[in-house]
Amino acid sequence: MKDVYKLVSECETDLKDIFDEIDATAQKNSEKVLKAFSEYKLSERHFAGTTGYGYDDDGREVCEKIFARAFGCEEAAVRHNIISGTHAITIGLFGILRTGDTMLSVTGMPYDTIEPVIGITPCDGSLAEYGIHFKKVDLTADGKFDFSAIKAAIDSDSSIKMIYAQRSKGYQARRTIPACEFEELYNFVKQYTNAYVVVDNCYGEFCDVIEPKADLIIGSLIKNAGGGIAECGGYLAGTKEAVEKVSNRLTVPGVGREEGATLGHTKNILKGLFFAPHVVAQALKTAHLAAAVFEAMGFNCLPTARERRHCLVQTIDLNTKETMLAFCKGIQSGSPVDSFVTPEGCQMPGYTCDIVMAAGTFTQGSSIELSADGPLVPPYRVYMQGGLTYESGKYGVIRAAEEILKLSK
Ligand SMILES: *Cc1c(COP(=O)(O)O)cnc(C)c1O
């Protein structure tokens, strides 16, 4: 059996130039974030927090301005009481769409958890129940926006009020869309419609030196944008008009972002943004390393080891159930929390097969921390993401490889 540490070290040598590029991106993004902190004169008093209605919460206002600036947007809503990325996206959809409107997804089917929100899987309170329609255009075979199909869809339906795109591949077998490609989408659709361009930005923040151009970009604070420090929350950032519209749905029509007690969360949300560019770089390096190591061990990886990444998700096809369970056992055992637990397949709501999950995280469900999951069916594809530090991510990869090698001994 080849020494895993030796294999890892060879992979790191091969990846040196890519790691340097990732560091350069983190440097640019950190400077962007620091300039935003400086521009709005962040000060210790902003961390104080409010209770009750949360009137006159300077910290909350400065925090939202800083997020907007760091993401290259006019305004942002950033709240700890947004429970997840799905909740943030739901606020965006209900905030913008009205009865009779159509939402056009231009990246095919949206992320699984958005389906009940739209009403693709029937659900009480979905957009469908309010008379809001859904249409989709798939990406081209090479994973690009299908501009002629998008134009045809817009031309044939004047009810389209939202052009919706998902940046990360999520659980799909497609490429993640680089941030720079959204500008072309934005400029293209605006020639034909004044519909809002809305981007699900989950897992994409700070992977590129810019964020997608859109009227609204939406994400979770327990993924990239929270840097592993924010303990809950989400954001919606974009044009002043779009953010004001969704703010009336976030809280109350007529109140918008003027209220909302921060209860002392502002410091961790901003500290998380401060760490985010660096932590995203750690996770990206971990993903490259995992791909290099498991490719060397003969497994199919997407993206491949040297492919430039635009989100955190790494898939590895582990071919057998035993290998997939061994991989997850290894990742779990390398985690700081619940390292003694052995992940097993189990039934999850909404799935017809068993799902296995490894996540020994400080923050429950946080996938900026090293985690891996997937359905226990061929090709036994595990979705791995995160890594708060490269050292801990690397150790998780080493432990996963060791557990797999044990099987053949
Ligand atoms: C994680 C994710 C979401 C939202 O998921 P939550 O678990 O609700 O935070 C939406 N879209 C994509 C592409 C995601 O990766």
Side-chain angles (χ1 to χ4, degrees):
M1 152 174 146
K2 190 166 183 176
D3 180 46
V4 173
Y5 278 84
K6 185 155 173 279
L7 171 61
V8 165
S9 147
E10 286 164 9
C11 291
E12 284 180 313
T13 307
D14 286 346
L15 292 169
K16 171 90 177 63
D17 57 329
I18 293 176
F19 283 12
D20 288 347
E21 266 179 47
I22 291 172
D23 287 338
T25 300
Q27 182 65 35
K28 283 194 184 133
N29 283 329
S30 286
E31 289 181 17
K32 203 163 65 180
V33 166
L34 285 165
K35 281 179 187 158
F37 281 127
S38 165
E39 180 175 344
Y40 292 103
K41 299 189 164 60
L42 182 70
S43 195
E44 184 168 8
R45 70 185 172 85
H46 293 123
F47 302 144
T50 49
T51 59
Y53 294 111
Y55 289 128
D56 301 321
D57 189 324
D58 286 350
R60 185 187 68 221
E61 286 172 21
V62 161
C63 176
E64 292 185 328
K65 295 264 183 235
I66 289 173
F67 264 76
R69 180 49 49 101
F71 287 158
C73 298
E74 287 172 11
E75 293 288 345
V78 183
R79 299 294 165 117
H80 75 271
N81 55 340
I82 294 177
I83 65 162
S84 65
T86 305
H87 185 196
I89 292 166
T90 301
I91 292 164
L93 299 182
F94 278 92
I96 286 184
L97 297 164
R98 299 289 183 271
T99 299
D101 288 348
T102 297
M103 161 186 182
L104 176 71
S105 168
V106 295
T107 46
M109 219 44 163
Y111 194 73
D112 302 39
T113 57
I114 314 298
E115 290 188 15
V117 179
I118 296 169
I120 296 166
T121 38
C123 191
D124 193 36
S126 67
L127 289 171
E129 283 201 343
Y130 287 86
I132 295 160
H133 312 289
F134 173 78
K135 284 186 179 171
K136 73 175 172 77
V137 167
D138 288 325
L139 293 168
T140 60
D142 55 354
K144 304 256 172 81
F145 292 121
D146 189 340
F147 287 110
S148 59
I150 293 168
K151 180 172 189 303
I154 294 170
D155 285 346
S156 69
D157 187 348
S158 61
S159 76
I160 291 171
K161 184 67 80 60
M162 179 187 293
I163 308 292
Y164 180 89
Q166 181 183 310
R167 178 174 175 186
S168 167
K169 64 181 180 165
Y171 288 108
Q172 291 167 0
R174 60 138 161 120
R175 96 197 227 282
T176 285
I177 300 165
C180 60
E181 290 179 23
F182 286 87
E183 183 163 7
E184 194 184 355
L185 174 72
Y186 188 90
N187 294 337
F188 181 82
V189 302
K190 293 288 176 177
Q191 292 176 272
Y192 309 109
T193 173
N194 56 14
Y196 293 84
V197 175
V198 175
V199 174
D200 170 357
N201 206 26
C202 287
Y203 278 143
E205 298 92 348
F206 300 121
C207 290
D208 297 294
V209 292
I210 53 165
E211 299 302 322
K213 181 162 174 66
D215 294 302
L216 204 58
I217 60 175
I218 308 176
S220 165
L221 298 188
I222 60 166
K223 291 183 177 174
N224 305 23
I229 306 281
E231 295 195 285
C232 53
Y235 75 87
L236 301 98
T239 63
K240 186 166 189 288
E241 200 235 324
V243 172
E244 276 175 5
K245 227 170 153 57
V246 298
S247 296
N248 278 338
R249 171 74 196 198
L250 166 72
T251 64
V252 171
V255 172
R257 286 177 300 146
E258 300 297 314
E259 292 179 21
T262 49
L263 308 172
H265 283 279
T266 306
K267 179 172 169 178
N268 274 351
I269 289 176
L270 285 169
K271 196 172 171 188
L273 181 67
F274 169 84
F275 272 99
H278 177 74
V279 174
V280 166
Q282 306 300 291
L284 288 173
K285 288 181 186 177
T286 302
H288 277 282
L289 180 71
V293 167
F294 290 98
E295 275 174 9
M297 289 171 69
F299 299 103
N300 201 22
C301 295
L302 258 181
T304 56
R306 291 190 53 84
E307 228 172 295
R308 177 78 176 81
R309 265 114 176 113
H310 303 281
C311 81
L312 302 190
V313 184
Q314 177 68 48
T315 67
I316 307 166
D317 293 349
L318 292 160
N319 306 333
T320 71
K321 185 176 169 182
E322 291 66 41
T323 320
M324 186 159 170
L325 290 172
F327 179 94
C328 289
K329 184 180 176 190
I331 294 287
Q332 187 78 32
S333 73
S335 305
V337 181
D338 290 335
S339 59
F340 51 89
V341 170
T342 302
E344 284 174 21
C346 77
Q347 276 288 275
M348 297 272 291
Y351 292 90
T352 51
C353 55
D354 280 359
I355 305 287
V356 62
M357 274 187 190
T361 56
F362 288 103
T363 295
Q364 188 191 101
S366 163
S367 44
I368 184 68
E369 301 182 45
L370 186 64
S371 52
D373 55 87
L376 274 171
V377 290
Y380 297 97
R381 175 167 296 165
V382 78
Y383 294 80
M384 191 203 97
Q385 58 277 313
L388 289 181
T389 65
Y390 174 67
E391 293 80 5
S392 64
K394 173 174 160 179
Y395 182 59
V397 171
I398 289 169
R399 286 294 307 117
E402 284 175 344
E403 287 298 330
I404 290 173
L405 290 172
K406 264 195 213 167
L407 294 174
S408 55
K409 262 179 60 180

